Amino acid sequence: MSDRMNAMFNHVDAFIALPGGLGTLEEIFHISFWAQLHIHHKPIGLLNVNGFYDNLLSFLDQAVEQKFLTSLTRQIIISAATAEQFIDQLQSFIPVIDPSMSRINWSTMNSRKSLDWI
């Protein structure tokens, strides 16, 4: 990760996606995967204008039902149809850490990654 991106990543409280194309979807899944790896525990918010993300959210729910995704991982992705609802959900978000995943210390101290197993 570049220094500029790392600085931005460390100073945000949430990741927000507006309706968009393939690049937006790639970023949503990229940052979701980082959450699954415990690189962060910040909410990923989808502003679901006119139901734009309805099918994506249904897909994620189906992935949970079919055991391709844990419900705890799915819960980090929140959505709302209006900006007011969206802000309320972001402000009330409390991360729930998936105990089935290994704990990895992703800090950049000494430029080394270490594994902390539960």
Side-chain angles (χ1 to χ4, degrees):
M1 179 183 327
S2 71
D3 289 339
R4 197 169 105 202
M5 188 173 184
N6 191 31
M8 178 192 70
F9 177 83
N10 289 326
H11 290 93
V12 300
D13 294 322
F15 302 96
I16 298 171
L18 303 175
L22 291 176
T24 302
L25 292 173
E26 188 271 332
E27 292 299 330
I28 291 167
F29 284 114
H30 189 151
I31 208 71
S32 299
F33 183 60
W34 283 4
Q36 186 177 13
L37 292 176
H38 297 284
I39 294 173
H40 74 86
H41 301 291
K42 301 171 184 182
I44 300 161
L46 307 180
L47 187 55
N48 195 15
V49 177
N50 295 326
F52 183 84
Y53 285 114
D54 286 350
N55 290 333
L56 176 62
L57 296 167
S58 293
F59 166 76
L60 294 172
D61 292 338
Q62 181 181 4
V64 170
E65 289 173 17
Q66 295 182 1
K67 310 282 190 242
F68 287 102
L69 184 67
T70 67
S71 60
L72 290 176
T73 300
R74 167 64 180 90
Q75 289 174 7
I76 203 162
I77 301 172
I78 60 174
S79 68
T82 69
E84 293 81 15
Q85 293 170 340
F86 195 55
I87 291 169
D88 288 343
Q89 285 192 27
L90 288 171
Q91 289 176 334
S92 64
F93 178 81
I94 298 172
V96 180
I97 298 170
D98 189 344
S100 68
M101 293 292 294
S102 65
R103 301 287 301 163
I104 301 174
N105 178 358
W106 292 97
S107 68
T108 57
M109 280 182 76
N110 300 325
S111 299
R112 304 189 94 175
K113 306 296 181 215
S114 65
L115 298 178
D116 297 324
W117 299 98
I118 295 178

